[in-house]
């Protein structure tokens, strides 16, 4: 089959390798900020679950606020300049945290503003790269391989990053450790700028279309396609429960469990090994089993995993083991399902709608994630951390019913692509 013959072909694609290397470095750096930002609030400002939940909200709120607008923008212009600008902004804003901390000017309101700004830049980059990738590959038969490779590095960053972040935070303090992330974004900018292949200009008609009509077109495409509609609905709840669990867990592990930053990082790192293994086997699973079965069973792990956190009791080794098992199962399921979901989205969507599709989907996905932080924080403040974790875990298990009824779970094969023609018909090595 063509998919078998093309497997591994991206190792000979220097443009993809530069993009992949830059994304890998930034993903590893991001792990430092993912742990350091909430720990800065907890350890420096003595923040409780409500404050940490609001910090999470400020990081994710830009997705529902700006993703649709950015999606229209991405469909009207070349994507790579936007990606370069977004990563440059992230490097500067993240670098401000240790600078302001060193000057004794870092406050909770300033931390919230920086988190929001980093979130805005993240929205622009995420919407852009998902639309940029199919054109960079020039043939959609490589999408599963590309997304598998990106998922593997994301999962490896999830596995190794938190442990490294915990050590750096323990040695340098949480704010100072974020220097590593700022540098990683600068390196990714250099690698992305080094890609020589010219990105095709969008149609001139795109710039003349009305903004509201563009927004409506993207939303109609997502809600009019049964696969995309289901992915958006299930994904929004998946992000809600994932963010709710992780927000409460950081406070729960430090306050009630007595874990140090280094121990917390080890828990996340060992748990994320599940994501790495899931990414490694995702291609094989999709080649061997119907995509619908892979979708259901991978998400089953994602929704069942959070229950193990409040279930953890007894000696510390058992508690830590159940913490690790919770994230191992959840991350493993997410890694497998993400490869399938992103590939399916890119397969069924025509190129001229790619930016708006990604924007609409991510608006819904991260809208759910943005609500997970403050809702879980308020719930934990009202009933306590452990009862709140039980409540969220039980509600997550109930999501298996809509997953089972999803049209994606009934897929016996990936649908035909919207366009079999190459997506980037210009010469491979044309310079910009």
């Amino acid at each position: 089959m063509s998919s078998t013959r093309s497997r591994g072909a991206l190792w000979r694609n220097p443009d993809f390798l530069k993009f992949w290397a830059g994304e890998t470095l930034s993903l590893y750096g991001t792990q430092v900020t993912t742990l350091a930002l909430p720990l800065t609030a907890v350890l420096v400002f003595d923040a409780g679950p409500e404050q940490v939940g609001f910090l999470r909200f400020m990081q994710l709120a830009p997705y529902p606020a700006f993703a649709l607008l950015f999606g229209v923008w991405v469909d009207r212009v070349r994507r790579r300049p936007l990606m370069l600008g977004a990563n440059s902004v992230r490097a500067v804003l993240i670098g401000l945290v240790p600078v302001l901390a060193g000057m004794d000017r870092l406050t909770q309101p300033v931390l919230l503003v920086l988190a929001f700004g980093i979130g805005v830049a993240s929205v622009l980059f995420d919407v852009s790269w998902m639309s940029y990738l199919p054109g960079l590959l020039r043939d959609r038969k490589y999408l599963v391989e590309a997304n598998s490779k990106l998922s593997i590095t994301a999962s490896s960053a999830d596995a190794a990053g938190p442990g490294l972040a915990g050590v750096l935070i323990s040695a340098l303090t949480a704010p100072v450790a974020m220097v590593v992330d700022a540098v990683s974004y600068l390196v990714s900018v250099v690698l992305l700028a080094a890609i020589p292949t010219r990105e095709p200009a969008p149609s001139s008609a795109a710039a003349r279309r009305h903004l509201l009509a563009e927004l409506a077109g993207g939303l109609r495409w997502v809600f009019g396609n049964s696969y995309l509609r289901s992915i958006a609905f299930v994904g929004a709840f998946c992000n809600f429960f994932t963010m709710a669990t992780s927000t409460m867990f950081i406070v729960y592990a430090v306050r009630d469990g007595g874990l140090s930053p280094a121990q917390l990082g080890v828990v996340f790192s060992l748990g994320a090994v599940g994501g790495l293994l899931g990414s490694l086997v995702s291609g094989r699973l999709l080649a061997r089993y119907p995509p619908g079965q892979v979708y259901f069973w991978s998400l089953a792990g994602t929704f069942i995993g959070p229950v193990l956190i409040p279930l953890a009791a007894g000696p510390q080794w058992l508690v830590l083991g159940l913490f690790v098992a919770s994230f191992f199962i959840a991350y493993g399921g997410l890694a497998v399902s993400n490869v399938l979901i992103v590939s399916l989205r890119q397969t069924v969507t025509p190129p001229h709608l790619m930016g708006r599709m990604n924007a609409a989907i991510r608006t819904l996905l991260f809208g759910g994630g943005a609500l997970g932080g403050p809702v879980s924080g308020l719930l934990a403040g009202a009933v306590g951390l452990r009862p709140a974790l039980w409540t969220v875990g039980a509600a997550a298990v109930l999501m298996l019913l809509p997953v089972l009824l999803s049209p994606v779970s009934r897929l016996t094969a990936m649908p035909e692509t919207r366009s079999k023609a190459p997506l980037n018909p210009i010469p491979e090595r044309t310079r910009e």
Side-chain angles (χ1 to χ4, degrees):
M1 296 178 64
S2 61
S3 60
T4 302
R5 291 195 303 268
S6 64
R7 189 176 300 160
L10 293 182
W11 287 108
R12 299 184 296 275
N13 185 327
D15 292 344
F16 174 77
L17 293 178
K18 290 186 181 73
F19 169 77
W20 186 22
E23 184 67 1
T24 299
L25 286 172
S26 64
L27 285 171
Y28 270 84
T30 296
Q31 290 300 319
V32 178
T33 296
T34 298
L35 191 58
L37 203 60
L39 280 179
T40 297
V42 172
L43 299 176
V44 176
F45 302 118
D46 196 30
E50 297 94 335
Q51 288 79 26
V52 175
F54 189 64
L55 177 64
R56 292 287 200 185
F57 174 78
M58 292 298 284
Q59 288 179 273
L60 296 178
Y63 281 90
F66 299 112
L68 286 173
L69 292 174
F70 286 169
V72 175
W73 187 16
V74 164
D75 279 342
R76 293 183 175 191
V77 299
R78 288 189 172 99
R79 285 80 185 250
R80 188 168 63 160
L82 300 181
M83 296 160 65
L84 291 168
N87 271 0
S88 298
V89 169
R90 284 197 280 190
V92 171
L93 294 180
I94 291 169
L96 281 174
V97 174
V99 170
L100 293 174
M103 298 170 61
D104 201 24
R105 297 290 182 88
L106 186 64
T107 63
Q108 282 199 63
V110 170
L111 192 65
L112 291 172
V113 171
L114 290 175
F116 186 82
I118 294 166
V120 173
S122 297
V123 177
L124 181 58
F125 186 86
D126 285 352
V127 172
S128 299
W129 85 256
M130 288 190 170
S131 304
Y132 176 71
L133 181 61
L136 181 69
L137 301 177
R138 294 182 292 277
D139 195 322
R140 297 193 185 198
K141 69 183 179 183
Y142 300 123
L143 281 173
V144 170
E145 182 188 349
N147 287 317
S148 295
K149 283 179 164 55
L150 289 165
S151 180
I152 287 169
T153 51
S155 297
S156 69
D158 287 340
L164 173 62
V167 172
L168 288 172
I169 291 167
S170 296
L172 304 174
T173 74
V176 177
M178 293 174 68
V179 171
V180 174
D181 193 16
V183 172
S184 75
Y185 279 119
L186 290 176
V187 175
S188 73
V189 166
V190 172
L191 288 171
L192 187 61
I195 296 175
T197 300
R198 180 180 177 84
E199 184 182 358
S203 168
S204 60
R208 298 194 297 268
R209 291 195 290 261
H210 194 274
L211 174 63
L212 293 180
E214 293 280 270
L215 292 174
L219 289 171
R220 277 197 306 271
W221 174 251
V222 170
F223 286 105
N225 184 287
S226 61
Y227 298 129
L228 299 180
R229 186 171 61 244
S230 176
I231 286 171
F233 173 78
V234 172
F237 280 95
C238 182
N239 278 9
F240 175 87
F241 291 122
T242 299
M243 186 56 62
T245 300
S246 64
T247 298
M248 291 187 291
F249 176 74
I250 290 176
V251 183
Y252 179 69
V254 172
R255 295 272 173 84
D256 295 13
L259 270 65
S260 68
Q263 289 175 315
L264 188 61
V266 169
V267 169
F268 281 127
S269 289
L270 293 178
V273 171
L276 177 59
L277 293 177
S279 298
L280 289 170
V281 303
S282 60
R284 293 182 177 87
L285 290 175
L286 288 169
R288 183 171 182 179
Y289 299 104
Q293 291 183 18
V294 175
Y295 178 74
F296 175 78
W297 289 111
S298 60
L299 284 180
T302 300
F303 285 120
I304 291 172
V307 176
L308 296 179
I309 293 176
L311 189 64
Q316 189 177 40
W317 66 266
L318 179 59
V319 171
L320 291 174
L322 287 173
F323 285 168
V324 169
S326 172
F327 290 105
F328 186 95
I329 294 170
Y331 286 168
L334 274 176
V336 174
S337 63
N338 278 344
V339 171
L340 168 62
I341 288 168
V342 173
S343 300
L344 179 61
R345 282 161 44 185
Q346 293 168 333
T347 297
V348 301
T349 303
H352 71 280
L353 282 169
M354 198 71 72
R356 282 166 286 168
M357 177 277 293
N358 285 321
I361 291 284
R362 293 183 84 74
T363 295
L364 297 167
L365 296 186
F366 283 89
L371 292 175
V375 170
S376 64
L378 291 172
L379 180 63
V383 303
L385 283 164
R386 193 182 184 91
L389 284 164
W390 270 118
T391 302
V392 169
V397 172
L398 293 177
M399 277 302 300
L400 291 179
L401 181 59
V403 172
L404 180 63
L405 298 176
S406 165
V408 182
S409 293
R410 297 193 294 272
L411 275 173
T412 58
M414 290 290 279
E416 293 293 323
T417 61
R418 297 288 300 182
S419 172
K420 295 186 178 181
L423 297 179
N424 190 359
I426 59 177
E428 283 194 23
R429 310 305 296 175
T430 303
R431 307 284 297 191
E432 283 190 331

